[in-house]
């Protein structure tokens, strides 16, 4: 039987949950879930000066929102805890003693503990980036001396513990991967150059190497390096802007991974089924916010009605739309044909629920100069008020057609004025069902209001 898969996500809590880190977490989570393995969350909080509680909370809640549940880690515990590096000093001391006993490290003149770098070049086989060989001794053969203003021979041996007793990232990272029995280290390519050092430490500690898979960078759309402030960089923004976590997972997965066919829309369950480390691309990915919006729209359209209401509720409450209004389910069905985010839902359906609408001046400018505009609006008003066939999509359409014929215009010429008069906007969901939901009386009142407004301004 093969060793059960154990992956880990090891964030340093020094900022929000960045999309690049979320992608690292997702690939680890998917790999563990796909193989029925264990996904570990380990918080690398040894840098006391830069860690914040707010950052830790944002990372944990971001992962929870994305649906990446961890089997071991903060809040849930596990066999190999504690899962905060700041609480693992005794464990690090134990591994350090092992290195000392094997003669693989020493204290230098400044009191720091150094790991003796191997004389031989170290080779690692990265699953994505291929084989990497580095001579760790040569790599750091010199260092710049500021006082002497020249390169001087450097001590090539890696500091693993500072003179003040605190441990260095490389050491604790490797110790934890050994101690937590991690089988696959899947992380950003920025760590690739460190990996030979890590491999040397694994060897010195008598531990087998895990599989390394370094994921290429994720860049901005223009190819520049993504920074914290760029659009789409923080998971919190997606939550606030009304993205669905399933769509964000789908989007993040496609940033650097592709399935073997052209399919693009996946639920988390489908991702788990399909994900394979061999599908990770070797080239850098580029962020594409439009694609993320499109995917979110596709996921919105796939939600069942109850789920849709549940997800939209906080956004509806924000805009004071009554959740018990009979028209709400139909309004949600209608708006989701066009909406790309939950945030777009309330403004899209507001004309159905609000007593007064505001007319968008840019929308109005599109029609106010038309010479027959009053005739069009008055014609629609008269026709709608006299309709004998009830107030439904068919009857409304028939009245619009009849008005167009009377005025010798094409039906299309009536649609925009009708939409602007009744919703205040130039765009939105399908007009006929929208008018049904707004209701006959309100439609008539709004047509009259716009006629009065245009008459008084001409
Ligand atoms: N704490 C490291 C980081 O946030 C993780 C390194 C790793 O995954 O091995 O970059």
């Amino acid at each position: 039987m093969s060793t059960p898969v154990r992956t880990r996500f090891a964030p340093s809590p020094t900022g929000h949950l960045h999309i690049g880190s979320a992608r690292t977490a997702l690939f680890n989570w998917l790999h563990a879930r796909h193989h029925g393995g264990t996904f570990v969350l380990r918080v690398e909080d040894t840098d006391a000066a830069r860690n914040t509680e707010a950052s830790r909370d944002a990372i944990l809640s971001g992962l929870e929102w994305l649906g990446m549940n961890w089997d071991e880690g903060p809040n849930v515990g596990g066999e190999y805890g504690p899962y905060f590096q700041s609480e693992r000093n005794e464990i690090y001391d134990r591994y350090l003693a092992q290195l000392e006993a094997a003669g693989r490290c020493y204290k230098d003149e400044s009191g720091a503990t150094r790991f003796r770098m191997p004389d031989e070049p170290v080779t690692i086989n990265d699953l994505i980036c291929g084989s990497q060989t580095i001579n760790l001794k040569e790599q750091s053969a010199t260092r710049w001396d500021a006082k002497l203003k020249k390169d001087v021979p450097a001590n090539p041996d890696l500091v693993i513990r500072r003179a003040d007793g605190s441990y260095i990232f490389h050491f604790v990272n490797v110790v934890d991967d050994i101690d937590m029995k991690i089988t696959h280290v899947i992380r950003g390519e920025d760590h690739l150059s460190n990996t030979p050092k890590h491999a040397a430490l694994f060897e010195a500690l008598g531990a087998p190497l895990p599989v390394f898979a370094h994921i290429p960078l994720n860049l901005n759309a223009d190819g520049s390096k993504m920074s914290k402030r760029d659009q789409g960089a923080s998971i919190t923004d997606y939550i606030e802007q009304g993205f669905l976590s399933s769509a964000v997972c789908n989007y993040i997965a496609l940033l650097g991974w592709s399935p073997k066919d052209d399919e693009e829309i996946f639920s988390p369950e489908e991702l788990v089924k399909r994900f394979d480390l061999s599908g990770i691309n070797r080239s850098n990915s580029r962020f594409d916010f439009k694609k993320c919006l499109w995917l979110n729209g596709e996921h919105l359209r796939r939600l069942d009605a109850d789920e849709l209401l549940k997800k939209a509720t906080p956004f509806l409450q924000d805009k004071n739309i009554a959740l018990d209004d009979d028209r709400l389910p139909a309004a949600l069905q209608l708006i989701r044909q066009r909406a790309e985010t939950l945030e777009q839902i309330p403004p899209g359906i507001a004309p159905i629920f609000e007593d007064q609408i505001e007319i968008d001046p840019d929308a109005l400018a599109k029609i106010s100069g038309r010479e027959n505009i009053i005739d069009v609006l008055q014609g629609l008003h008269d026709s709608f008020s006299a309709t004998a066939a009830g107030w439904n999509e068919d009857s409304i359409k028939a009245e619009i057609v009849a008005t167009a014929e009377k005025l010798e215009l094409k039906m299309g010429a009536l649609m925009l004025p009708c939409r602007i008069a009744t919703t205040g906007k130039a765009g939105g969901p399908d007009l006929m069902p929208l008018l049904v939901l707004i209701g006959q009386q309100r439609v008539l009142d709004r047509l009259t209001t716009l006629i009065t407004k245009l008459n008084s301004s001409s």
Side-chain angles (χ1 to χ4, degrees):
M1 220 182 81
S2 59
T3 323
V5 166
R6 290 178 59 85
T7 66
R8 84 314 193 263
F9 175 51
S12 305
T14 57
H16 55 205
L17 181 58
H18 187 271
I19 184 127
S21 318
R23 183 183 63 161
T24 300
L26 180 65
F27 288 179
N28 278 287
W29 182 81
L30 288 173
H31 186 64
R33 292 288 169 266
H34 180 85
H35 292 280
T38 302
F39 175 58
V40 178
L41 176 60
R42 173 173 89 223
V43 181
E44 301 210 322
D45 59 347
T46 49
D47 188 350
R50 293 180 61 220
N51 296 324
T52 67
E53 217 168 290
S55 162
R56 190 195 61 199
D57 293 348
I59 292 171
L60 265 57
S61 61
L63 290 176
E64 272 165 8
W65 181 77
L66 286 163
M68 290 181 221
N69 57 320
W70 51 95
D71 307 301
E72 293 175 24
N75 307 333
V76 298
E79 208 179 319
Y80 304 99
Y83 293 90
F84 289 95
Q85 286 188 331
S86 56
E87 297 169 10
R88 295 175 59 81
N89 259 333
E90 276 170 33
I91 297 166
Y92 304 139
D93 291 346
R94 199 153 33 80
Y95 279 83
L96 184 69
Q98 190 187 329
L99 274 188
E100 277 165 351
R104 303 292 297 259
C105 63
Y106 63 91
K107 266 204 176 137
D108 69 12
E109 64 287 350
S110 73
T113 306
R114 287 181 184 262
F115 168 61
R116 289 183 206 282
M117 285 298 206
D119 294 323
E120 301 299 315
V122 174
T123 298
I124 58 141
N125 273 311
D126 189 87
L127 205 62
I128 300 162
C129 306
S131 150
Q132 317 275 322
T133 300
I134 295 190
N135 186 324
L136 293 165
K137 278 224 156 132
E138 275 173 16
Q139 191 199 22
S140 50
T142 60
R143 68 174 172 87
W144 176 252
D145 187 307
K147 266 194 210 140
L148 298 174
K149 293 206 171 55
K150 63 172 188 181
D151 281 336
V152 296
N155 185 340
D157 294 335
L158 180 72
V159 174
I160 52 176
R161 189 177 190 229
R162 299 180 190 89
D164 68 6
S166 61
Y167 286 99
I168 296 282
F169 161 74
H170 302 294
F171 181 70
V172 295
N173 183 266
V174 168
V175 166
D176 285 349
D177 284 341
I178 296 172
D179 201 64
M180 295 178 180
K181 301 198 165 39
I182 300 303
T183 58
H184 293 73
V185 170
I186 306 164
R187 61 186 171 191
E189 205 184 77
D190 45 329
H191 289 288
L192 181 63
S193 61
N194 289 325
T195 305
K197 284 178 207 156
H198 296 184
L201 279 165
F202 273 97
E203 184 277 322
L205 288 164
L209 284 185
V211 173
F212 289 108
H214 285 87
I215 318 164
L217 296 178
N218 176 45
L219 305 172
N220 280 316
D222 64 3
S224 60
K225 202 164 173 257
M226 212 170 178
S227 84
K228 283 182 187 175
R229 275 165 293 280
D230 287 321
Q231 183 184 42
S234 164
I235 294 301
T236 318
D237 294 345
Y238 295 88
I239 304 176
E240 285 169 3
Q241 289 169 22
F243 281 81
L244 298 173
S245 58
S246 64
V248 178
C249 280
N250 189 166
Y251 177 67
I252 298 175
L254 296 179
L255 280 177
W257 171 80
S258 13
K260 296 196 170 62
D261 50 34
D262 288 337
E263 244 180 276
E264 292 201 290
I265 302 165
F266 300 105
S267 66
E269 295 74 24
E270 285 161 340
L271 284 175
V272 166
K273 212 177 287 167
R274 302 280 300 265
F275 186 77
D276 184 347
L277 288 176
S278 68
I280 295 182
N281 310 327
R282 278 163 198 251
S283 50
N284 292 335
S285 55
R286 288 199 185 201
F287 191 77
D288 180 352
F289 198 67
K290 276 205 190 108
K291 179 156 184 185
C292 186
L293 279 170
W294 169 76
L295 270 176
N296 201 63
E298 292 299 317
H299 279 249
L300 261 185
R301 286 182 272 290
R302 284 164 170 75
L303 285 181
D304 67 39
D306 287 348
E307 263 309 278
L308 177 62
L309 177 61
K310 201 168 119 202
K311 302 271 185 206
T313 292
F315 294 87
L316 296 168
Q317 282 169 331
D318 245 21
K319 292 278 179 282
N320 294 324
I321 294 178
L323 296 173
D324 57 0
D325 193 300
D326 294 345
R327 295 167 302 171
L328 188 54
L332 290 176
Q333 291 307 325
L334 180 60
I335 183 68
R336 77 146 131 197
Q337 300 311 327
R338 297 280 169 83
E340 289 186 312
T341 64
L342 296 166
E343 198 182 36
Q344 291 168 3
I345 289 180
I349 59 175
I352 299 170
F353 300 99
E354 286 172 357
D355 291 332
Q356 299 290 336
I357 53 159
E358 297 256 352
I359 305 243
D360 166 20
D362 290 340
L364 188 58
K366 288 183 204 278
I367 55 163
S368 56
R370 294 187 188 176
E371 65 179 86
N372 57 6
I373 184 68
I374 301 290
D375 295 341
V376 166
L377 296 171
Q378 192 63 54
L380 286 169
H381 179 278
D382 295 347
S383 192
F384 285 161
S385 63
T387 179
W391 189 249
N392 53 55
E393 287 181 44
D394 291 342
S395 67
I396 294 170
K397 188 171 173 193
E399 298 302 342
I400 297 178
V401 170
T403 311
E405 275 169 10
K406 221 180 281 167
L407 296 172
E408 295 181 353
L409 292 168
K410 289 211 172 90
M411 182 185 173
L414 276 60
M415 299 298 270
L416 188 63
C418 184
R419 179 184 289 280
I420 294 172
T422 55
T423 69
K425 297 180 190 101
D430 288 349
L431 188 59
M432 311 304 167
L434 187 60
L435 293 176
V436 173
L437 289 168
I438 292 172
Q440 185 176 15
Q441 192 53 51
R442 267 192 174 152
V443 166
L444 295 174
D445 293 347
R446 287 174 187 179
L447 285 164
T448 306
T449 306
L450 187 56
I451 292 167
T452 313
K453 180 176 165 129
L454 290 174
N455 274 333
S456 67
S457 62
S458 60

